[in-house]
Amino acid sequence: MLISSANLKRVFIAAILLVSFNFYQNPAMAQPQFNKCLLEASPQNMVSLGQPLATERLANKSRIRVGVLPFYFTDGAVKTLSETDKGEYLRAASKIESISSSQIKIDIIFLPSINSNMTNAEFKDFYINREIGWQNKDSSKSTWGFVKNLITKSDSQINYLDLDSVILVGNNLDNSFSIAEAMQFFRSSAGNNYVNSNEDFYKSVQTQEGYIDNAILLDRNMGATTIAHELLHNFGLTDLYGSGTGPGFLSIMAAGSFRILTYEKAVLGWLPLDDFKCSKFSDFVNTNNAKNELIINDFKKETVFLLQKTEDSAYVIEIDQNDDKYYLAVYLLEQNMRPPITIYSDPKISFLSFYNVADPKNIGNFYQTPDFNLLITNQNGTSLNLNLIPKALLKTELASKILDESLKNRDLAIQAAEAKAKAEAEAK
């Protein structure tokens, strides 16, 4: 069962910390005051990586019904979905269920085809003018207006009962443009953080059977990756592409992979509460000491540690699992930026890379952020030792000593791994 945003906030505050933290600072500050672990949602953005989630978003449900509504143009053939086409929607639903660790169930309902009562050329005008329509909140020129109008006009033909989202998919044959757009509507401004949620342009679509709060417009058949990406907007996630500092393959909201960041799972309520820890940055990092240890007892569990800098920004340190690899990711989350995530990596590497902490060869490597370097100091079994060295102290004697010890730990860990592999090979 999913936990509401309000309850999630209360439980986070009371959560027992299973990750060990070692502090080298004033004893009076040894136990930091743990605040809420999710940042406040951005009031300037319809979806963002924080709380509260709008009440209309799919993440507030455990059983979700998604209707797929094919539409066609008056100058084209009637739109039909082949079994292969239908399989892409079912696959997308299955992948999202898997990402949630089966905490949700998505039912896909295939609806009858409807006539859009417009030509392909008229539809292209919506694409050309979509930005103007969006900026002026002009439904007659926007894709949002097209979707709301089509749902309303088809109300007498289509049963919209208990649908949590509707995916409209067309038969556009014009390859000069393509549309894959998610739309999140609001029934009222109550309970929503988005400042424009009370505007008519964003109002949910009322049908004879009830409200449509979420929709997706696809101008043609799309693959499961695109469908899942757009659906996750309806759940409450935001885009993470558009810059050179996104999370890449770690999230489908940035690239074509069927996974999301561990922090994104927390936003949707899909991360066990015990695996989410937080502190104010100033409480955890002693800027006068090079030794600020973070010990993760079990790096084979997806874990998030959030260090809040300001009201709307925080450093996030997390473990993301990918098959038998356990990637350490470090990034700055800024709620009012687009995209809101800046991923950090080792400056010695010429391309974005994440270290697999299950590989002892990565001990001694580090991630560079504007405020600190995060050094992997040791790895033993499933225990992972990290150290946050403040920027101003990187060239101090203590920082050099910590690095030297890390390199010694790496050599010992590699020797132990090789000895274990040899023993296992001999046993076979």
Side-chain angles (χ1 to χ4, degrees), residues 290 375 389 393-404:
L375 178 67
I389 306 175
L393 304 177
L394 288 175
K395 296 183 179 180
T396 62
E397 182 179 348
L398 179 55
S400 298
K401 181 180 178 181
I402 294 171
L403 177 58
D404 290 341

Side-chain angles (χ1 to χ4, degrees), residues 153-174:
K153 285 189 174 180
S154 64
D155 194 11
S156 61
Q157 309 168 52
I158 303 297
N159 182 2
Y160 288 109
L161 183 65
D162 294 332
L163 292 183
D164 302 301
S165 176
V166 175
I167 302 177
L168 292 85
V169 53
N171 62 346
N172 176 30
L173 301 178
D174 186 344

Side-chain angles (χ1 to χ4, degrees), residues 257-288:
S257 58
F258 287 110
R259 59 180 60 85
I260 60 176
L261 292 169
T262 308
Y263 181 83
E264 289 178 292
K265 291 183 180 181
V267 170
L268 300 181
W270 299 345
L271 181 73
L273 300 182
D274 288 343
D275 299 333
F276 196 121
K277 334 293 176 191
C278 59
S279 170
K280 288 184 178 179
F281 182 84
S282 58
D283 286 343
F284 185 82
V285 178
N286 183 347
T287 56
N288 295 317

Side-chain angles (χ1 to χ4, degrees), residues 229 238-248 253-255 337-342:
H229 173 102
T238 189
D239 283 321
L240 299 181
Y241 62 82
S243 72
T245 58
M253 306 313 290
M337 297 292 289
R338 282 294 165 268
I341 281 179
T342 301

